[in-house]
Amino acid sequence: MPEIAEVRTVAKVLKKNIIGRTIKDIKYRYDGIIKTDKDEFKNILIGKTITDINTFGKWIIINLDDYTILSHLRMEGKYYIKDKNEEYEKHEHIIFTLDNGLDLRYKDVRKFGILMLVKTKDIYNIPEIAKLGIEPDDDKLTDKYIYDSIHKSNKPIKELLLDQSIINGLGNIYVDEVLFASGIKPTRLGKKVTLKECNKIKESCKSIITKATELGGTTIRSYTSSLGVEGKYQDYLKVHTKVNKPCPVCGTIIKKIRVGGRGTYVCTGCQK
DNA sequence: ATCTATGCCTGGTGGC
DNA sequence: TGCCACCAGGCATAGA
């Protein structure tokens, strides 16, 4: 499941490979991924040149001058660059053929991903983008901001950190790691988290996301190599996936519980 | 306003 | 070996 570090890694590789390329053709093998008008998506994009690629939260933002593709990988979305004559694989749903004879192919086994075509000037008015909060490594993310966002909430802190309208881009893996690094158990309610602990959350977000991004993200389960990129952060995970293993800090056996319907890894020795 | 349930999806897994 | 129920989970949305 790509989270912010994985999304940024994908965007970085795309940036290196497809900026300056013109889209020659678009083929749909399963068009449910396209959430805006499907004909318009093709008609407008064919002939346009990719000018820039960025990310915001878990969204990949592909600029083509006045139009922009918003891409969310959700659970299993991946991009591949392949020769246009290469046989299509199962689950390669959207095929962008470029002017250099290569395809950019969007593959998504579970079809949860999203592609939208919007006018570039409207990006930040699109509800899905407008609702997002602050990037985890942005200086605007302060202990006060986190505290203000959560201190009246009766929701578990884990759910609040997964809430994209507060901090952008954290998913199940990094939330578990951030809470472990902050010494807070995932079930603790937002209103029971102190300002001092919010500072720990802030610091953990910055250090964990920075390091994970440097290492190309985390490769576990479904986030495997896309665009030939394998993440390395899985070697640094402290609790996520470590059920029944000793905590690397205190030796307590790590438990797997459910919080907000999600599999959650916790060290009851370190996290209070 | 806020909470819960459901839908979107397929592949892997465990039980029989 | 095959069949089946169930689980994984980000996020929107409908319903309570």
Side-chain angles (χ1 to χ4, degrees):
Chain A
M1 55 227 80
E3 304 179 24
I4 193 163
E6 294 73 37
V7 169
R8 287 178 177 179
T9 302
V10 170
K12 189 173 151 189
V13 181
L14 284 179
K15 204 163 181 164
K16 207 165 90 185
N17 287 279
I18 65 168
I19 284 192
R21 299 269 64 86
T22 296
I23 296 172
K24 284 290 182 194
D25 193 25
I26 296 174
K27 185 177 278 127
Y28 299 154
R29 302 183 69 241
Y30 169 84
D31 67 9
I33 302 295
I34 315 279
K35 301 300 181 190
T36 50
D37 188 284
K38 300 176 206 318
D39 293 330
E40 207 173 67
F41 190 92
K42 261 189 197 179
N43 295 338
I44 291 175
L45 285 173
I46 293 173
K48 288 224 184 289
T49 300
I50 297 158
T51 49
D52 201 7
I53 297 176
N54 292 289
T55 64
F56 191 49
K58 297 177 192 171
W59 290 87
I60 300 173
I61 301 172
I62 304 171
N63 293 126
L64 307 96
D65 289 323
D66 51 339
Y67 279 88
T68 290
I69 299 169
L70 297 176
S71 168
H72 196 304
L73 305 175
R74 288 286 179 94
M75 304 301 295
E76 312 214 11
K78 299 173 179 67
Y79 282 102
Y80 293 91
I81 292 168
K82 297 186 173 181
D83 189 282
K84 68 176 180 184
N85 295 317
E86 203 170 314
E87 222 168 288
Y88 296 135
E89 275 184 39
K90 200 176 178 183
H91 306 304
E92 286 181 351
H93 305 307
I94 311 293
I95 316 291
F96 300 88
T97 301
L98 307 175
D99 61 351
N100 59 355
L102 298 178
D103 280 349
L104 173 68
R105 300 187 184 177
Y106 178 76
K107 176 174 175 174
D108 191 341
V109 169
R110 287 164 70 186
K111 303 186 170 88
F112 276 11
I114 285 173
L115 284 170
M116 295 194 288
L117 179 65
V118 302
K119 287 189 175 147
T120 300
K121 65 177 173 57
D122 294 337
I123 293 176
Y124 293 98
N125 297 322
I126 306 298
E128 290 87 335
I129 302 296
K131 59 155 283 200
L132 296 177
I134 297 179
E135 297 281 288
D137 48 357
D138 190 320
D139 288 340
K140 278 183 273 188
L141 184 70
T142 62
D143 49 0
K144 181 79 166 42
Y145 169 81
I146 298 172
Y147 185 75
D148 288 347
S149 305
I150 69 171
H151 87 283
K152 286 180 183 163
S153 177
N154 284 311
K155 286 184 187 165
I157 184 66
K158 169 146 185 176
E159 282 189 51
L160 295 166
L161 293 186
L162 285 169
D163 183 341
Q164 303 296 300
S165 70
I166 302 174
I167 302 174
N168 297 345
L170 301 183
N172 209 28
I173 301 171
Y174 296 122
V175 166
D176 281 359
E177 294 298 311
V178 165
L179 286 173
F180 173 77
S182 306
I184 304 167
K185 64 178 178 182
T187 49
R188 178 125 60 96
L189 301 185
K191 64 181 180 186
K192 300 283 187 186
V193 176
T194 65
L195 179 62
K196 200 173 170 184
E197 288 172 324
C198 288
N199 191 56
K200 283 188 189 170
I201 292 172
K202 179 201 75 173
E203 292 298 329
S204 310
C205 280
K206 286 181 203 285
S207 60
I208 288 169
I209 297 307
T210 301
K211 177 141 192 185
T213 303
E214 279 169 15
L215 292 172
T218 302
T219 301
I220 57 169
R221 198 169 291 140
S222 51
Y223 176 72
T224 53
S225 68
S226 68
L227 288 164
V229 181
E230 287 277 349
K232 293 276 182 288
Y233 194 75
Q234 62 275 15
D235 299 341
Y236 295 84
L237 295 176
K238 300 268 183 31
V239 287
H240 194 83
T241 72
K242 307 296 185 187
V243 62
N244 291 334
K245 291 184 177 157
C247 166
V249 173
C250 76
T252 302
I253 299 301
I254 290 165
K255 284 187 185 151
K256 185 175 183 184
I257 59 173
R258 291 192 81 77
V259 181
R262 292 176 181 90
T264 299
Y265 299 85
V266 59
C267 169
T268 53
C270 294
Q271 296 173 259
K272 299 297 178 189

